[in-house]
Amino acid sequence: MARALRGGMRSLLIAVLCAAGCRGESEEAPLLQMASRPGAGSGPPRSRLSACHKHVQVIGRHQRQREGGSCSGVAFDFSGVEVRARFANTSWATVEMSQAYSDPEYYIANFFNVYVDSQLHSSFDTSSWNRTGGSWRVKLFSGLDPSVTHEVAIFKNTEPQFNSKYVVPNYVTVHAFTGSSGMTLAQPSKPPRWKVEFLGDSITAGYCNSAQPCSTSSDCTPANQHFNESWPALICSALGAECHVEAWSGYGMAENCCGGKTLMSSVWLRTLGSLQALDLMLPHQTPPENLWDFRRWVPDAVVINLGTNDAVSWPHVIPAYNMTYLALLTVAARAYGPSTHFFLACGPMTSKYCPQVDWVMEKARAQVPGLKISFLNQRYYLNGSYGPACGYHPSVRVDLAMAKGAVPVIRRALRRKS
């Protein structure tokens, strides 16, 4: 069955492509509490604005949820997704959120940073949200000057379902924002010039990168996965780029390191990574309504680093790895068009798959005339010269070195494009 599913990758990808200082009113609530019904309770008058508001920006793959024919919120689960809004005429604001909840055994908390006016303001997580389900209200800011517009970004630090072999819905939904009576949302900032997409595994997702103490025996948990300090996030910041990231620890292109049926080549097709069908006969177990529309967002550059987990099963998985990678790459190139530059990376946890990456590049150039493609060498960053390894993975120091090495390479390609 697994072989048949992998063999259908090319046909499914093609099918997808073809379908394709002054205080006003204050909010004295704690940082996190259960959300009440809109309008319920006492206190000063409030304004409640939907997360589906036209001035709310969502950066990263996301899906609008519908209830009763109208939008009830914005759902997402990939690392690095940001929800941004510019608040006016309010001294405080909260956000109403929920997390999908199906089985307490497989519920995994998500971790977030809140930035106010580009400064880290607070952090929160969903560890307690599985106790009762429902929506939760999180404080964003309070005691600010209501005559000044304040920009808030809610940043997701964790992958869809941290290091999980058995996939169940684990996505979060932002439903609404609440603030002082008369609160409005200002027009969003102008989007960045460049768009960059990252596809990878734990190395890309920032797995264990901030573990303390940091050593090969570090205890790796969602709490020490800080995607904001990962090499992809640092690259995006240095380039001033808008980024999409699809990354999940333990998953490979054609074979996972440590079990599980879901492959990263399948997750790449999805809007919500953790939403899949129970029907094993459905190709890649992805419900049709959760297939990502590649026309929604076309990157200027795509960085792929997949092979570390496949390499655990070397050499028998090499043919499946080669063909699956080639199918994904050629379809991505045709979906995004000739202007997108692809960077195929290898390393730093193993270099076993580097020859296969070279093979894929050679075959892809032959199949897609004019393809812009380069090798991104990440093999040596865990040799001890760039910082320690946390749980055998890049630490934040290594992430920084990896970003510094990649930024000039990607920037040159983007400048050539312009």
Side-chain angles (χ1 to χ4, degrees), residues 35 55 68 79-80 84 107 109 111 139 159 161 169 176 188 192 197 257 282 295-296 324 355 378 386 406 417-418:
H55 287 164
S79 311
R84 295 182 180 178
Y107 180 95
F111 285 68
K139 181 186 289 187
E159 60 194 71
Q161 191 181 356
E197 180 179 12
C257 75
L282 188 66
R295 297 168 296 183
R296 285 179 61 179
T324 304
Q378 297 183 319
Y386 301 94
K417 177 178 178 178
S418 64

Side-chain angles (χ1 to χ4, degrees), residues 46-49 87 92-95 137 176-180 183:
R46 302 176 177 186
S47 292
R48 184 178 186 272
L49 299 175
F87 293 84
W92 62 271
T94 64
V95 61
R137 190 154 56 100
F177 299 99
T178 302
S180 307
M183 177 186 76

Side-chain angles (χ1 to χ4, degrees), residues 80 183 300 356 376-377:
M183 177 186 76
D300 300 290
Q356 277 60 54
L376 184 61
N377 186 3

Side-chain angles (χ1 to χ4, degrees), residues 31-34 97-101 103-112 123-134 136 138 156 158 162 170-172 221-224:
L31 175 65
L32 182 67
Q33 68 176 36
M34 284 292 294
M97 298 177 64
S98 63
Q99 180 164 326
Y101 177 70
D103 187 328
E105 182 179 354
Y106 298 105
Y107 180 95
I108 296 181
N110 283 292
F111 285 68
F112 297 85
S123 300
F124 68 94
D125 65 81
T126 67
S127 299
S128 62
W129 294 15
N130 64 332
R131 295 175 187 169
T132 57
W136 290 75
V138 181
K156 190 172 187 290
T158 42
F162 183 83
N170 202 60
Y171 57 87
V172 293
T221 70
N224 56 41

Side-chain angles (χ1 to χ4, degrees), residues 46-382:
R46 302 176 177 186
S47 292
R48 184 178 186 272
L49 299 175
S50 170
C52 304
H53 192 286
K54 65 179 180 179
H55 287 164
V56 175
Q57 284 182 307
V58 184
I59 300 171
R61 292 189 181 184
H62 62 279
Q63 184 180 90
R64 293 200 168 207
Q65 304 289 287
R66 305 197 69 82
E67 186 175 318
S70 60
C71 182
S72 60
V74 178
F76 56 91
D77 61 6
F78 283 115
S79 311
V81 174
E82 290 185 70
V83 179
R84 295 182 180 178
R86 300 179 68 228
F87 293 84
N89 305 316
T90 186
S91 62
W92 62 271
T94 64
V95 61
E96 183 183 326
M97 298 177 64
S98 63
Q99 180 164 326
Y101 177 70
S102 56
D103 187 328
E105 182 179 354
Y106 298 105
Y107 180 95
I108 296 181
N110 283 292
F111 285 68
F112 297 85
N113 284 347
V114 176
Y115 297 86
V116 178
D117 298 328
S118 300
Q119 300 298 313
L120 178 61
H121 184 75
S122 61
S123 300
F124 68 94
D125 65 81
T126 67
S127 299
S128 62
W129 294 15
N130 64 332
R131 295 175 187 169
T132 57
S135 296
W136 290 75
R137 190 154 56 100
V138 181
K139 181 186 289 187
L140 297 176
F141 63 85
S142 64
L144 297 184
D145 186 348
S147 67
V148 176
T149 298
H150 299 285
E151 184 164 15
V152 173
I154 303 169
F155 181 95
K156 190 172 187 290
N157 258 329
T158 42
E159 60 194 71
Q161 191 181 356
F162 183 83
N163 198 30
S164 179
K165 303 179 187 69
Y166 182 71
V167 178
V168 299
N170 202 60
Y171 57 87
V172 293
T173 302
V174 175
H175 298 283
F177 299 99
T178 302
S180 307
S181 177
M183 177 186 76
T184 59
L185 296 180
Q187 188 169 343
S189 303
K190 184 179 179 181
R193 179 181 183 184
W194 304 117
K195 297 177 181 178
V196 182
E197 180 179 12
F198 294 84
L199 175 61
D201 49 32
S202 55
I203 296 168
T204 301
Y207 177 85
C208 211
N209 64 345
S210 62
Q212 294 295 332
C214 176
S215 69
T216 54
S217 59
S218 292
D219 183 21
C220 302
T221 70
N224 56 41
Q225 182 176 46
H226 286 189
F227 185 76
N228 63 307
E229 297 183 89
S230 69
W231 61 274
L234 296 174
I235 288 173
C236 296
S237 178
L239 295 175
E242 179 178 296
C243 292
H244 282 203
V245 180
E246 300 88 50
W248 204 325
S249 300
Y251 290 6
M253 181 69 77
E255 191 82 28
N256 298 334
C257 75
C258 315
K261 301 291 186 182
T262 303
L263 299 171
M264 205 57 222
S265 47
S266 301
V267 173
W268 178 68
L269 298 170
R270 300 174 181 174
T271 304
L272 303 175
S274 65
L275 181 59
Q276 66 180 26
L278 297 177
D279 183 1
L280 295 177
M281 297 304 295
L282 188 66
H284 306 282
Q285 298 176 250
T286 303
E289 64 273 14
N290 191 37
L291 290 172
W292 174 250
D293 182 354
F294 290 92
R295 297 168 296 183
R296 285 179 61 179
W297 192 86
V298 177
D300 300 290
V302 177
V303 181
I304 305 174
N305 189 342
L306 283 170
T308 299
N309 294 310
D310 301 83
V312 173
S313 301
W314 244 233
H316 84 265
V317 76
I318 288 177
Y321 175 85
N322 287 351
M323 299 313 297
T324 304
Y325 202 156
L326 181 61
L328 186 150
L329 179 61
T330 54
V331 172
R334 289 165 180 161
Y336 292 148
S339 294
T340 298
H341 195 117
F342 290 84
F343 295 90
L344 274 54
C346 182
M349 293 179 68
T350 180
S351 59
K352 278 185 179 180
Y353 62 103
C354 294
Q356 277 60 54
V357 172
D358 289 336
W359 182 92
V360 170
M361 291 176 62
E362 179 184 353
K363 296 298 181 182
R365 287 192 183 103
Q367 292 190 18
V368 185
L371 177 65
K372 297 181 177 67
I373 190 168
S374 303
F375 178 74
L376 184 61
N377 186 3
Q378 297 183 319
R379 285 176 286 195
Y380 307 111
Y381 287 104
L382 284 177

